[in-house]
Amino acid sequence: MDLGLNGKTAFVAGASSGLGRAIAKELLQEGCRVAICSRRQDRIHDAALWLREVTGCAVDHILPLVCDVTKEQDIRHAIDKTIKAFGGLNLLVTNAGGPPTGLIDDLDAKTWRSALELNLISTINMCRIALPALRVSAANHASILMVSSLSAKQPITSLYLSNVSRAGVQGFAKGLSEEIGPEGITVNTILPGYTKTDRLSHLSESLNAQTGTPIDEIEAGWAASSALKRIGTEDEFAAAATFLLSARASFITGQAVVVDGGAVKSIL
Ligand SMILES: NC(=O)c1ccc[n+]([C@@H]2O[C@H](COP(=O)([O-])OP(=O)(O)OC[C@H]3O[C@@H](n4cnc5c(N)ncnc54)[C@H](OP(=O)(O)O)[C@@H]3O)[C@@H](O)[C@H]2O)c1
């Protein structure tokens, strides 16, 4: 299937590793020009080098940018640089790191605010700031994909911060899809289940420190919670994300697509 992504331009946030970098890889392989961002210069430059190597893309197809998505000014600069380098923007992927674990007595107001800044406010700001450029591209395909979490559908004990901020993302995405649907821009969320990345390793280490449960037992429990009885890979996640961003998904909007090997147990 030709996804119709050849020659399109994309901004992928939180892309020095993990799910963001995997989406960037797929988009490059489809012929997109892709701006990738993260907070740390060394990591985002290493990611750009790695992406060039594995995809064989032209040097000017990948633009590494330092941008902390919790800072509005950083987002403005990064989106501006992307538009200047690529001449426009078709695809926006909102993404960042995940919040810490903790139960109700572990989390103070400052920690709650930081988590909402990291996963909810950053998403809203990226969409607000990129929207004018996406509107210009709409006749030639424009799409927004927000990386959320399975915790938006099935809250995870000890991941309160994720459960709450992702619920906000889902509400924002649905409203935005209604508002800008008439302009031809699709808006979807993608909800990863347990997927092997740095984030998942940090999560198991943190739970191990809090509960004493061995890391391999924690990971075996995650695998067992899915219908497929395993943890997912970045590439499996990125394939679904790339389809949702593609021209072939042009009648899919306002949807929350779970990529979790069947871990969420609800029928719908
Ligand atoms: N992997 C899973 O199993 C899973 C499951 C459900 C939900 N999720 C969610 O999916 C998202 C991505 O997860 P992942 O597994 O890919 O995590 P990851 O491997 O830790 O990657 C996170 C990426 O985001 C960047 N980042 C972190 N904070 C940022 C900020 N403030 N501004 C810009 N970039 C930032 C990191 O780079 P720098 O450090 O260089 O900034 C890194 O490139 C997270 O929100 C996570 O909670 C993941």
Side-chain angles (χ1 to χ4, degrees), residues 16-17 19 38-40 67-69 96-98 166 193 195 197 199:
S16 64
S17 62
L19 305 181
S38 85
R39 293 164 301 179
R40 289 178 276 177
C67 164
D68 180 340
V69 296
R166 314 300 184 175
T195 313
T197 64
R199 160 75 178 163

Side-chain angles (χ1 to χ4, degrees), residues 19 97-102 112 115-116 119-120 146-171 189-195 199-200 203 222 225 237 256-260 263-266:
L19 305 181
T101 56
W112 276 100
L116 292 172
N119 293 125
L120 174 60
M146 305 179 197
V147 177
S148 175
S149 170
L150 127 165
S151 70
K153 270 209 148 185
Q154 184 167 283
I156 301 168
T157 314
S158 88
L159 268 176
Y160 268 117
L161 299 172
S162 179
N163 302 341
V164 172
S165 53
R166 314 300 184 175
V169 168
Q170 299 307 139
T189 58
I190 185 161
L191 286 59
Y194 297 107
T195 313
R199 160 75 178 163
L200 204 68
L203 211 51
W222 288 337
S225 71
F237 173 82
V257 177
V258 187
V259 183
D260 69 343
V264 169
K265 300 306 175 194
S266 59

Side-chain angles (χ1 to χ4, degrees), residues 22-266:
I23 295 173
K25 184 179 96 174
E26 291 288 339
L27 293 176
L28 287 164
Q29 282 167 339
E30 292 299 320
C32 291
R33 283 172 293 159
V34 183
I36 54 171
C37 87
S38 85
R39 293 164 301 179
R40 289 178 276 177
Q41 182 141 28
D42 54 336
R43 279 176 45 92
I44 201 67
H45 279 274
D46 286 353
L49 290 177
W50 181 83
L51 286 165
R52 260 175 223 142
E53 197 177 306
V54 296
T55 67
C57 71
V59 173
D60 63 355
H61 273 216
I62 174 110
L63 178 66
L65 298 167
V66 175
C67 164
D68 180 340
V69 296
T70 64
K71 297 182 179 151
E72 194 176 342
Q73 220 26 45
D74 277 20
I75 300 173
R76 283 194 193 285
H77 285 142
I79 297 283
D80 279 355
K81 281 185 185 161
T82 304
I83 294 165
K84 279 200 183 95
F86 295 158
L89 185 67
N90 299 104
L91 312 171
L92 171 69
V93 179
T94 69
N95 180 43
T101 56
L103 297 173
I104 188 68
D105 294 329
D106 306 322
L107 305 169
D108 60 16
K110 188 166 174 263
T111 311
W112 276 100
R113 279 195 196 97
S114 302
L116 292 172
E117 288 285 347
L118 178 66
N119 293 125
L120 174 60
I121 308 297
S122 71
T123 303
I124 296 168
N125 282 338
M126 281 185 266
C127 291
R128 285 177 45 242
I129 292 165
L131 198 50
L134 293 170
R135 283 185 162 126
V136 170
S137 302
N140 183 30
H141 187 57
S143 179
I144 296 174
L145 185 65
M146 305 179 197
V147 177
S148 175
S149 170
L150 127 165
S151 70
K153 270 209 148 185
Q154 184 167 283
I156 301 168
T157 314
S158 88
L159 268 176
Y160 268 117
L161 299 172
S162 179
N163 302 341
V164 172
S165 53
R166 314 300 184 175
V169 168
Q170 299 307 139
F172 172 65
K174 194 69 182 172
L176 189 63
S177 71
E178 282 290 321
E179 186 182 347
I180 64 178
E183 300 173 55
I185 305 172
T186 60
V187 181
N188 292 293
T189 58
I190 185 161
L191 286 59
Y194 297 107
T195 313
K196 194 67 192 164
T197 64
D198 292 351
R199 160 75 178 163
L200 204 68
S201 304
H202 295 149
L203 211 51
S204 54
E205 283 159 19
S206 153
L207 289 171
N208 165 263
Q210 279 167 21
T211 63
T213 310
I215 287 177
D216 53 356
E217 226 174 272
I218 293 169
E219 294 190 351
W222 288 337
S225 71
S226 77
L228 295 176
K229 304 299 174 205
R230 64 179 176 84
I231 284 172
T233 67
E234 293 172 2
D235 286 350
E236 288 173 311
F237 173 82
T242 302
F243 175 71
L244 289 171
L245 285 162
S246 78
R248 299 308 298 271
S250 51
F251 202 50
I252 301 177
T253 197
Q255 300 307 304
V257 177
V258 187
V259 183
D260 69 343
V264 169
K265 300 306 175 194
S266 59

